[in-house]
Amino acid sequence: MGLSSPVPVGEGFQFCVFDLRRGQHEGQELDKILFFFPIDSPLPLQLSVIGLSEGLITFTRIFSPDAACEVIEAERHSHTFYQAEPDIWMIMVVEKTKDTDAIGRSDALQGVLKEVHSLFTMFFGSIRGLLEKQPGGGTARSLLYFFIMDYLAEFLVGKKLQMPCSRDCLRERGTVQMLTTGREAAIEVQSLVRLLESSCVANMSCHSLVLYHDLLVSTTLPPGDTANLFNYALLRLTPNALSSVTSSWSYLRKSSSGASQESVNPILANIGVPSEEVSHSSRDTSPNRQGQRHHVARPLQRGKWWRGEDGFAVTENWGSEIGNRIFYTPTVWLQQIEEHMHLCVYQHKSLTIILLISTSLLVNGEQGISFVKQLLLENASLKILKVEEKLSKEWGGENAYHVRGYRYLLLDNDSIVSRASPPGKVTTLSKGSLMAMSKLREEVDQEKRKAKRDDPDHEKDFEVCMRAKNNAWIVARVSRGKELYMVLEKASETLLFASEAVDKFSNRFRPEAS
């Protein structure tokens, strides 16, 4: 994806990241801007949006000093706020139009901001940490620029960016979708996980995730780290996401030598964004690379992962040695376990295995990783074949978990897991039903925020059942960290029938959700 020109977008959309600790003196206001989209916006407009956002943040703190500002609804614009880190704010401004379907729930828009920050932190660490290491801000701006631009490309529909709207009301960004397996397959998967752990040398910390198609089968990580890696895998690592280009050496050589340098819009030069090349000496402490200048790693750039001949996915985004056929393995920061890990990805047919190896104990760099990969192939190849065979026999396609007659979203906030009707089934719902559910979810979000402010240690249980204008029943049920949202377009006229249908559905999933 070339970034020499801005991503096409409809009018009235801004996305910015800024630091309240910077640019506090007159004439230095630009210093606080870390990222602004559209990238060719005039500087006065950028300063105006940032200044207004800063004013709203300061004003709302007067009334709620302990709770950060989350959303401001103005007559013409919707302002969504996310305090990603202390004094680091991410803001999305969406212009309101006559099309009431164009803007989604504020929590869904905030979910976009949260996902950007979580994925960014996983690869590059905190924004504050980058600014402390390089006070000028050039490194942070370059990384944010390419990362967010690559991320926004995922929302391109034709020539416009389309943020979450009412059509996405039965989806939840940032959650994990699990594959339910039978007993025999589950035993085989657990046996594979033990073999993966044994592939790491003694005293070496390692973790793993196993995916089949776009569903998670197994994880040894806590929920937050699992969600981040799972959602990155959906974007770039699963068979559906991975580039179909064969990873032949001639192709990789051509790709590396023929890649053109992508220029940055001149307007960014005024706020310190240099180019796709920055010094990584502050983070890379290896003797042979320290102090050199390297291309910015772009984890979300499309078409930069390939499946190698040995089954391991490779990427040149983190650098490569063409003559020696060495591609540097990405590293990720797992926030919950607080550890840097090497990211190794292996694929066999529809099975994706993510192996995470601690960087602190792997002293031989890429040679050590190659050794671990070899151990994995020697120890676990037969087991991988067996697991893939078991799962393929059980696999029923994307509609395997569809419950006939229901359109629903089931959330478990504690484990960050969701299960929802397949997208193809949701599209059968009318626009009126989706808009009604979106509005109901907005009300539920507000009720949850209010309950959290009143008593942070207690989760409020409640249920709402309403009739939409098209006579569909719209249901929301919140209980003990679980949430169920459902649209019943073909229910009978009575509320009792709708309530019984929801109870029947809930009983079906009660063992899984408990």
Side-chain angles (χ1 to χ4, degrees):
M1 181 188 107
L3 297 179
S4 56
S5 60
V7 175
V9 65
E11 295 181 0
F13 175 87
Q14 287 102 29
F15 186 120
C16 52
V17 183
F18 61 93
D19 181 5
L20 287 179
R21 299 182 188 178
R22 304 171 69 92
Q24 293 301 313
H25 300 289
E26 186 176 355
Q28 298 179 356
E29 291 83 1
L30 286 175
D31 193 40
K32 70 179 59 178
I33 304 176
L34 302 178
F35 173 82
F36 196 96
F37 181 89
I39 61 174
D40 58 352
S41 300
L43 293 179
L45 174 62
Q46 297 186 32
L47 290 173
S48 175
V49 172
I50 299 295
L52 175 61
S53 300
E54 186 174 2
L56 291 172
I57 292 168
T58 303
F59 178 73
T60 54
R61 277 178 172 171
I62 298 174
F63 304 96
S64 181
D66 298 326
C69 179
E70 294 182 333
V71 60
I72 297 291
E73 294 289 349
E75 181 178 357
R76 296 180 56 188
H77 295 85
S78 175
H79 301 253
T80 303
F81 297 75
Y82 175 52
Q83 187 175 8
E85 300 172 24
D87 291 325
I88 300 288
W89 288 81
M90 306 179 78
I91 312 293
M92 187 185 299
V93 182
V94 182
E95 185 178 15
K96 296 180 179 179
T97 66
K98 294 181 179 180
D99 182 7
T100 55
D101 184 48
I103 301 179
R105 303 161 29 239
S106 58
D107 275 36
L109 297 176
Q110 192 179 68
V112 173
L113 301 178
K114 290 180 178 179
E115 184 173 65
V116 170
H117 181 257
S118 293
L119 292 176
F120 181 88
T121 303
M122 184 173 71
F123 287 104
F124 303 115
S126 69
I127 299 174
R128 178 65 62 201
L130 292 171
L131 293 173
E132 290 175 352
K133 291 177 181 178
Q134 205 272 326
T139 298
R141 290 190 179 98
S142 287
L143 293 174
L144 284 167
Y145 169 74
F146 289 105
F147 190 87
I148 297 178
M149 293 297 285
D150 288 338
Y151 180 86
L152 290 178
E154 296 300 311
F155 295 89
L156 272 179
V157 179
K159 293 184 177 182
K160 291 186 177 182
L161 285 173
Q162 183 171 305
M163 291 292 111
C165 60
S166 62
R167 291 188 296 273
D168 304 305
C169 61
L170 292 181
R171 294 176 53 193
E172 189 71 7
R173 181 172 299 277
T175 56
V176 173
Q177 292 81 55
M178 296 290 299
L179 174 68
T180 302
T181 60
R183 183 175 181 275
E184 290 186 6
I187 292 174
E188 293 295 341
V189 170
Q190 289 302 314
S191 177
L192 171 60
V193 171
R194 287 193 292 270
L195 281 175
L196 294 176
E197 293 175 349
S198 68
S199 296
C200 295
V201 298
N203 299 322
M204 183 183 296
S205 173
C206 68
H207 293 274
S208 65
L209 283 81
V210 180
L211 294 87
Y212 189 74
H213 286 282
D214 287 345
L215 299 174
L216 182 67
V217 180
S218 169
T219 179
T220 62
L221 289 171
D225 291 331
T226 295
N228 284 338
L229 279 165
F230 174 80
N231 285 288
Y232 179 68
L234 294 189
L235 288 172
R236 294 293 176 264
L237 301 179
T238 62
N240 291 336
L242 202 63
S243 173
S244 60
V245 180
T246 304
S247 59
S248 65
W249 184 241
S250 60
Y251 177 83
L252 293 177
R253 178 187 292 273
K254 179 181 179 181
S255 173
S256 300
S257 61
S260 61
Q261 295 298 316
E262 296 166 292
S263 62
V264 176
N265 192 288
I267 199 75
L268 295 177
N270 293 318
I271 57 171
V273 177
S275 66
E276 195 180 347
E277 200 173 77
V278 297
S279 173
H280 280 248
S281 59
S282 59
R283 298 187 71 245
D284 189 347
T285 57
S286 57
N288 62 326
R289 300 175 74 190
Q290 188 171 6
Q292 297 181 15
R293 296 178 67 83
H294 302 280
H295 293 298
V296 173
R298 292 172 59 181
L300 293 181
Q301 189 177 19
R302 290 179 176 176
K304 292 299 183 179
W305 280 91
W306 300 272
R307 185 185 303 178
E309 295 178 357
D310 59 357
F312 283 95
V314 295
T315 176
E316 55 187 351
N317 255 341
W318 276 261
S320 60
E321 295 180 10
I322 302 298
N324 297 325
R325 300 188 63 172
I326 295 177
F327 296 88
Y328 292 112
T329 304
T331 59
V332 293
W333 168 251
L334 301 182
Q335 300 175 51
Q336 287 189 285
I337 66 173
E338 297 184 340
E339 192 168 5
H340 275 104
M341 311 287 281
H342 290 287
L343 178 66
C344 299
V345 183
Y346 181 82
Q347 287 191 347
H348 174 66
K349 295 184 178 179
S350 299
L351 195 68
T352 302
I353 297 172
I354 299 177
L355 185 64
L356 299 142
I357 309 166
S358 174
T359 61
S360 60
L361 298 176
L362 195 64
V363 295
N364 294 327
E366 297 300 323
Q367 290 183 352
I369 293 174
S370 297
F371 178 69
V372 172
K373 289 180 178 179
Q374 186 62 35
L375 282 178
L376 187 148
L377 293 175
E378 293 175 356
N379 297 338
S381 290
L382 293 178
K383 182 62 68 175
I384 290 172
L385 294 175
K386 194 169 185 179
V387 167
E388 206 282 335
E389 180 182 2
K390 289 281 186 184
L391 295 178
S392 64
K393 289 181 178 179
E394 293 186 1
W395 176 245
E398 69 170 6
N399 293 331
Y401 302 116
H402 172 60
V403 182
R404 187 176 181 181
Y406 292 92
R407 303 293 185 269
Y408 66 93
L409 169 65
L410 183 64
L411 299 176
D412 185 334
N413 294 313
D414 295 330
S415 57
I416 320 181
V417 170
S418 70
R419 172 161 290 182
S421 297
K425 299 295 183 181
V426 175
T427 57
T428 63
L429 293 174
S430 68
K431 181 178 179 180
S433 296
L434 293 173
M435 290 182 63
M437 173 55 75
S438 183
K439 291 179 181 178
L440 179 59
R441 290 203 65 186
E442 187 79 56
E443 293 178 7
V444 171
D445 294 337
Q446 293 176 4
E447 189 67 26
K448 286 161 52 182
R449 284 195 291 267
K450 180 181 177 181
K452 186 176 181 179
R453 288 195 300 268
D454 294 341
D455 188 356
D457 298 324
H458 178 71
E459 294 180 344
K460 183 178 180 180
D461 296 348
F462 57 92
E463 181 174 346
V464 181
C465 188
M466 59 175 282
R467 200 69 182 266
K469 291 181 179 180
N470 62 348
N471 291 325
W473 286 105
I474 312 298
V475 181
R477 178 178 289 180
V478 179
S479 177
R480 294 181 297 175
K482 313 293 190 299
E483 300 178 31
L484 172 63
Y485 301 95
M486 186 176 294
V487 177
L488 298 169
E489 280 194 335
K490 298 181 180 180
S492 70
E493 294 295 323
T494 66
L495 175 61
L496 179 61
F497 181 91
S499 180
E500 289 177 347
V502 174
D503 288 337
K504 183 179 179 180
F505 179 90
S506 299
N507 291 334
R508 173 172 181 163
F509 286 96
R510 194 178 303 279
E512 180 179 309
S514 61

